[in-house]
Amino acid sequence: MSWGAESSDEELMLGYRDGDAGAFDSLYARHKGGLYRYLLRQCRDAAAAEELFQDVWMNLIRARAGYTVQAKFTTYLYRLAHNRLIDHYRKHARATAVAFDDEGGDALLELPDDRVRPADDILDAKRRAARLLELIATLPPAQREAFLLQQEGGMSVEAIAQATGVTRETAKSRLRYALAKLRQGLGE
Amino acid sequence: MTVNDRNSGGLPGAEERDSRLDRLYREAERAGPPAHLDAALLAAARREVGARPRPLASALRKWRVPVSIAALVVLSVSLVTLVREEGGDELMKVAPGTPPAPKPSGMAPPPAQPAQADAARPSPPAPAARPEPARPAPRDDRRADAQAELGTMADRPQPFLAAPRVEERAAGSPQAAPDMEDGAMRAPAAVARRSAKSVASGAPAAEVESARMMAGSAQSGVPGQGKAPPWQGYEKEPPQKWLDRIAELRRQGETAVAGEMLAEFKRRFPDHPLPPDPGAR
């Protein structure tokens, strides 16, 4: 069976569950970039990101037989990624895992302020994008995760809350803080 | 400017989105997994599909119809086999003294009669078309007839239903038996028939036996023909003779032949009661 753009993620995953490897190809093509960037920007280590990326997809492959549609596929996929990331944090840097629980409201004060930059340093779009990535890297992990899930996974606040295992209000708060810090960092 | 001022309408989580940040983020470096990782994961996914069976529900959906048909066929064959085997056991359920209800073969069964009337009847009436083995014809004439018939049958294919005629004509030619290829093999059957036949007709036992043997030999000796049926010579006999013969065959251990004959008996006399233990007769 051929799977087109009109097929939903959930249909693709059900197709793969029922033995259609082509469905997995389509699913992988749709989400490999976003998931990889999510992991890369969360752990900021390409080698670790590749390992995590592989683990997440392998977990999904192994769990295919028991897959049922209980939420959006992206929520399911990024939930796997979130859990794997937490394991990674716990294994390699406990401090990061602890910081994950910290809302990091005060971290805003530590961000560099672009407004103090000289006028001739005004960035063009590409440089501003690179600057955004730098700012994202400085965000507290929980806020960064919320922002990346929104950008890479295209997820709503509710879906972010589901994927990260927090309440909707917590997810919303994290996202709001992240956006505020990024805007502040960009001098807006 | 507040977050809500910059909301991107229609997008997921629009209440907490900043369209300018969205655009800027999309312009950032779009890193992706290395190609070798892609290849490894896609291969793993294909291996997983190929190595493991499909989920049970899916497999059942695919194989439901063929499995159902196969199960139906197996069940039907088992039932037919069982019913045929059980038919033999029916013989043991009927009282041995029950008189047979003679019916001419190939005719519709008459209306059922009360069991008491059957039991009160001293002996079953012989069918009108039944051949009489002990004919007053001279012995030498009968022997000559049988030999002539054997010679004729050995030369041409013999229809299956011609056997009784052979039997009747060949009765009384004991010396023909050693010439038959199948004579020795059919000896136990001939012995069994001899007792029943001689009792019923009063003919000499040797004559009856030789007639049976000749009938069987004549059939088996015809090129291209199969063996004579075990009921050969009993086509026009009353049901009780059939049952006696079946019981005799069983006592001799020829259960397969007895089964064949019983099946034919049931076909010819479907309403005739069966004795409980034919082997005890």
Side-chain angles (χ1 to χ4, degrees):
Chain A
M1 181 176 179
S2 63
W3 301 93
E6 70 281 359
S7 302
S8 69
D9 292 342
E10 292 76 26
E11 288 171 340
L12 291 173
M13 187 60 199
L14 288 173
Y16 179 58
R17 181 197 69 181
D18 292 343
D20 190 336
F24 181 84
D25 292 353
S26 300
L27 204 57
Y28 181 76
R30 281 185 192 180
H31 294 287
K32 65 173 184 174
L35 183 67
Y36 180 77
R37 287 188 290 276
Y38 163 78
L39 294 168
L40 179 66
R41 286 165 187 164
Q42 279 289 80
C43 68
R44 287 174 281 177
D45 177 351
E50 286 179 19
E51 182 189 341
L52 295 174
F53 179 80
Q54 188 167 1
D55 287 351
V56 171
W57 282 109
M58 287 306 297
N59 286 341
L60 183 136
I61 288 168
R62 281 191 285 266
R64 73 176 179 95
Y67 176 78
T68 53
V69 182
Q70 293 179 340
K72 285 188 72 175
F73 174 76
T74 47
T75 307
Y76 175 72
L77 177 65
Y78 283 94
R79 177 79 183 173
L80 290 176
H82 169 83
N83 291 338
R84 184 65 189 86
L85 203 54
I86 294 293
D87 290 343
H88 172 77
Y89 286 151
R90 285 179 180 152
K91 188 175 176 184
H92 293 95
R94 182 159 179 81
T96 312
V98 172
F100 217 88
D101 297 328
D102 180 15
E103 293 302 315
D106 296 334
L108 187 61
L109 304 175
E110 302 163 9
L111 283 171
D113 191 348
D114 261 356
R115 285 175 293 190
V116 299
R117 286 185 166 191
D120 58 350
D121 274 352
I122 293 174
L123 303 173
D124 60 7
K126 201 164 184 178
R127 287 187 177 181
R128 283 171 63 83
R131 172 66 182 156
L132 176 62
L133 293 183
E134 289 174 15
L135 292 170
I136 289 170
T138 64
L139 288 174
Q143 293 173 17
R144 184 169 61 236
E145 180 178 50
F147 179 78
L148 289 172
L149 288 174
Q150 186 187 53
Q151 294 296 326
E152 298 293 357
M155 297 165 72
S156 66
V157 172
E158 287 77 9
I160 293 169
Q162 278 189 310
T164 56
V166 297
T167 64
R168 183 186 186 280
E169 288 309 311
T170 302
K172 186 175 181 178
S173 171
R174 288 175 176 177
L175 197 52
R176 181 174 290 172
Y177 271 114
L179 293 175
K181 288 172 188 174
L182 294 175
R183 277 196 296 270
Q184 183 185 354
L186 289 171
E188 296 176 358
Chain B
M1 186 182 288
T2 65
V3 170
N4 287 335
D5 292 336
R6 297 162 184 258
N7 273 353
S8 306
L11 291 173
E15 71 276 22
E16 295 297 339
R17 290 197 88 100
D18 186 321
S19 58
R20 290 188 63 188
L21 282 177
D22 289 349
R23 271 198 308 275
L24 201 54
Y25 185 81
R26 282 194 294 272
E27 289 169 2
E29 180 193 0
R30 309 297 287 173
H36 71 85
L37 207 52
D38 289 347
L41 284 169
L42 292 175
R46 289 186 184 282
R47 271 199 309 274
E48 182 76 12
V49 171
R52 290 192 182 180
R54 290 184 173 193
L56 184 62
S58 172
L60 282 181
R61 270 197 302 274
K62 183 178 177 184
W63 291 100
R64 185 167 47 198
V65 173
V67 165
S68 302
I69 291 172
L72 192 64
V73 168
V74 168
L75 197 63
S76 304
V77 169
S78 304
L79 270 176
V80 167
T81 308
L82 199 64
V83 165
R84 293 186 76 166
E85 287 175 358
E86 290 279 327
D89 297 337
E90 292 278 331
L91 282 168
M92 302 174 185
K93 294 180 183 171
V94 184
T98 306
K103 292 184 210 67
S105 63
M107 293 180 64
Q113 296 178 354
Q116 272 193 333
D118 282 346
R121 216 179 298 161
S123 66
R130 177 183 163 196
E132 189 59 53
R135 277 190 271 179
R139 186 171 177 162
D140 288 342
D141 292 344
R142 283 185 287 167
R143 184 183 304 155
D145 286 347
Q147 286 173 344
E149 183 69 23
L150 278 174
T152 313
M153 289 176 69
D155 291 339
R156 58 178 165 78
Q158 193 62 250
F160 209 59
L161 293 177
R165 193 167 146 254
V166 173
E167 177 194 358
E168 289 171 20
R169 291 189 183 181
S173 58
Q175 72 272 26
D179 299 333
M180 305 301 165
E181 292 175 9
D182 206 20
M185 293 176 64
R186 294 184 174 270
V191 170
R193 289 176 191 174
R194 180 180 55 198
S195 58
K197 194 81 175 178
S198 59
V199 169
S201 63
E207 286 183 17
V208 175
E209 178 180 356
S210 64
R212 298 287 183 210
M213 291 170 69
M214 286 175 66
S217 303
Q219 284 291 335
S220 62
V222 177
Q225 282 286 73
K227 283 187 174 179
W231 59 86
Q232 186 163 22
Y234 283 81
E235 284 85 348
K236 295 181 180 178
E237 297 290 348
Q240 193 56 46
K241 289 281 179 63
W242 283 69
L243 294 176
D244 290 342
R245 174 65 184 146
I246 291 167
E248 187 67 33
L249 286 170
R250 290 194 169 193
R251 272 197 298 276
Q252 292 167 1
E254 296 188 44
T255 52
V257 179
E260 278 183 51
M261 191 159 177
L262 179 62
E264 178 65 15
F265 175 84
K266 287 180 179 175
R267 191 179 69 75
R268 288 172 184 257
F269 311 105
D271 291 337
H272 191 280
L274 299 173
D277 184 7
R281 299 172 74 89

